[in-house]
Every structure is written in C-alpha cells, then in structure tokens.
Amino acid sequence: MRVFVTGLGVISGIGTNVKENLKALSEGIHGIDKVTLFHTNLDVPVSEVKLSNSELKRILYLKPEKIHSRTALLGMMAAKEAIEDAKLNIERTGIGFISSTSVGGMDLSENFFTTFREGHSKGRLQNIIHHDCADSTEQIAQYIGHIGFMTTISTACSSAANAIMLGSRLIKSGYLDTAIVGGTDALCRFTLNGFNSLMILDKEHCRPFDKTRAGLNLGEGAGYVVLQSEETISRKPYCEVTGYANVNEAYHQTGSSPEGEGPYKSMTEALRMSGISPREIGYINVHGTGTPNNDLSEGKALLRLFSKEGDVPPFSSVKAFIGHTLGASEGIEAVYSVLSIEKGSMYPNLNFSTSIDETDLSPITSFHQGLDIKHVLSNSFGFGGSNSSLVFSKVEDRL
C-alpha cells in the first residue's frame, strides 16, 4: 500500500499559510525577534506567530469569549488549510486525525496559576482543563468537524514525525485510508524557562551547523499534511512517503550520543524502507537546532552514512527562520520537505559562515528552486533519544 501526500497546511513565525512561508524562505526573511506574547525576564530571541489569540479567533470565526489554548488555535489554522488543499471531505469514514504537541495547553495553565497564587479560591478552572496535550487535538478535531479515529503523540521534538509515521502505518495496514497528521506548539513561559535551565538558549540569532553555534531559538507554529492511500487520493499528490523510522538510543535525557548513533540508525532504517541508496537523496532537511551537541552529533551521523558512497548531499536547517517549534517541528518541516519535491526547492541555512572542525560540513546558504529533487530526507531528533527520519519521494509515473 502506497501513501501519498495530498494536502499541506502551515503557520509559523514567517507566515500564516503555505504561500507566505515559501515566500519568506525564498527571500531569506526570518521570524526571529523579541518575546511579545508574555512577560519574561529572559532576554532571548524567539520566533512568534505574528497574530494574537484574538486575531486567530477572528480569522477562524470562533467566538471571542470561548477559551482555546494558543496551541489549539495554531493547529486549527494549519489543519484547516491542509484539508482545503487536499479537497478532502472530512465527513467521510476512514479518516484519522493524529496530532502532536509538547506543551499542550500550558499557556492557559500559566494564566490559571498566576491568579491561583493570589489565593486558592481564585483562578479560572476553564483554563486548567485545557492543560492536557490531547485537549488541543480534540479542540482542533471539533473545529474541522472530524469525528473518526483520533490520537495524540508527545515525544518531544520528534512528535510530529512520529505522527506522520503512525498515519502512514495505519494507511498501509488498511485501518485508515486517509490521515491528517502533524503537530502544533505555542510558546509559553514554561518552555522558555525550561530550555534556559538546560543552558541551550542562544541569546543571539541561532547559527545551525556553524562553528560558533551557541544554542537554539525557540519558536511556535503548526504544520499538517494529508496522507491518502492510492485508492482514495482526492487530487494529484505532491509526493509519496516512501520511508520512515524511529530509533530510541536512550543515551541521555536531553542530548544525542556524541557519535550520532541514534540519528545514524534512524536515517539508515528510513532509507532501507524507501528502497533507495544514500546517493539518491537530493536534499536533507536536517534537525539542525544550533546547539553544540545536536549539530555535532547529526553531522557525524551524516558523514558516517553518506561518505561511504560519495559526498553528503545538499542539506540545511530552517530553524534560523522559524526557531525550534518542538512538537510542531516536523509538521512544519514536512511541509517544507514536500515543497522541496514539488518545486525543486532547497532552503538557505541562515547565519552559517564557518564549518564545525570535527565534521567540516557546509550547509546550503542560498535559496534554490526548479531543481530535479527525487528524494528528500527529513530529520527530527528529540529528547530521550527519540530519533525520527522521514523520506519523501517524487511520485512515479505508474500512478
């Protein structure tokens, strides 16, 4: 059973839809700036969606007084676009909705406890009930009118990649014929302070794969793709999901192994499933967070895998554009990867100047379009050693 991508939807710090995101990527316009959504004593740059919750509700035609987490609102925007793009009849049976997130409704929980600390009789309970990760999935499903199979995945930075994998597996097994898959996450104090405690936030604009890299910039947003079986595709597909793998190396709670054992295995297994050789990959959307540990680990894994058959293919990280969006990361970046196949695009790795000594790898630093890219590898490596890799491929003529 083949799995095709027929719909795309995205919102991030560089745009509220697919068209705006691609335009910003092509023009090198990033979304990194100061925090404005909430008060914080941390002076670090982030990538915020340039819309308030009230503006998001207005665009989505939601009642202003109804409570929704920002995570859910961002997810509604992207999921709606993906469904419309796929020309999908959401009321049909056989459709699944698999959404991922890391913070869930934490933004609302923070609002609750701000008031609750003043007195235990205070605090709006309507805020705290949206705390659970699955609540955002249910809110998005209710908004798009989905009443079929639904589940939530939360595996840190690999969450959305694992959602795409699960959707693909359910289609291949015949349990579903269509799946709306991806992830959504909103910025909040909890995330910002948590990453600050790990001492991996860069106080300047992040520099993935650069020798001077000093940490990541956090971001927010949502990205979803519609997956369909060959028998039920509703429009000409963008591409095909041909390979995927998740490997948990369990090396450390928050870091990858120094030699990149987990990333190497996830990429190797995804390529094996796709049935292609490493030299057939035309572009790699690397995880590339900008932290000293991640980029060195991923770089060593790339060298180990690809140097056997030649050079490492062209690669870049988009996180200097949109920040690290955590549970939404591969939802957004899967959309970019699919567009790489569709439009022959490669995206610039902003702020790169000098290679890491141990790898001597140089990412792409300018935008390319119109290339004949047949296969794209996309990586997402999360906390706890959860490493996921996806392979998107150009659709063969036999369809």
Side-chain angles (χ1 to χ4, degrees), residues 339-369:
L339 290 171
S340 290
I341 296 286
E342 170 74 7
K343 298 184 179 296
S345 302
M346 295 182 186
Y347 313 112
N349 193 116
L350 300 180
N351 306 326
F352 175 83
S353 61
T354 308
S355 299
I356 301 170
D357 289 337
E358 295 91 329
T359 62
D360 197 32
L361 291 171
S362 296
I364 299 164
T365 56
S366 59
F367 178 76
H368 298 269
Q369 188 163 296

Side-chain angles (χ1 to χ4, degrees), residues 195-319:
F195 276 81
N196 185 60
S197 69
L198 295 173
M199 296 183 289
I200 56 175
L201 290 181
D202 197 330
K203 293 184 178 180
E204 300 177 4
H205 196 170
C206 68
R207 300 169 298 285
F209 274 86
D210 192 83
K211 181 178 180 179
T212 67
R213 69 200 186 283
L216 57 83
N217 302 145
L218 287 170
E220 65 175 359
Y224 291 91
V225 299
V226 175
L227 306 177
Q228 292 189 278
S229 66
E230 190 169 354
E231 290 75 16
T232 59
I233 51 176
S234 51
R235 51 154 287 174
K236 180 183 177 182
Y238 287 103
C239 65
E240 183 176 357
V241 181
T242 57
Y244 46 80
N246 172 261
V247 174
N248 197 322
E249 62 180 332
Y251 172 78
H252 187 271
Q253 288 177 312
T254 60
S256 299
S257 61
E259 299 304 316
E261 188 67 22
Y264 170 78
K265 287 184 177 178
S266 69
M267 289 189 289
T268 300
E269 291 303 315
L271 286 172
R272 181 176 291 125
M273 180 180 182
S274 70
I276 64 174
S277 66
R279 64 175 177 271
E280 293 179 85
I281 291 293
Y283 171 63
I284 308 172
N285 168 40
V286 294
H287 188 51
T289 61
T291 63
N293 170 260
N294 175 89
D295 293 2
L296 179 58
S297 175
E298 187 171 12
K300 286 184 176 181
L302 291 172
L303 286 172
R304 183 179 171 188
L305 176 59
F306 291 98
S307 293
K308 296 175 183 177
E309 299 189 33
D311 296 329
V312 174
F315 72 92
S316 64
S317 168
V318 296
K319 288 183 174 63

Side-chain angles (χ1 to χ4, degrees), residues 6 113 239:
T6 59
F113 280 104
C239 65

Side-chain angles (χ1 to χ4, degrees), residues 56-67:
L56 288 168
K57 288 181 181 180
R58 178 174 53 79
I59 294 170
L60 292 164
Y61 298 101
L62 295 171
K63 294 180 180 179
E65 67 276 9
K66 188 168 176 58
I67 296 175

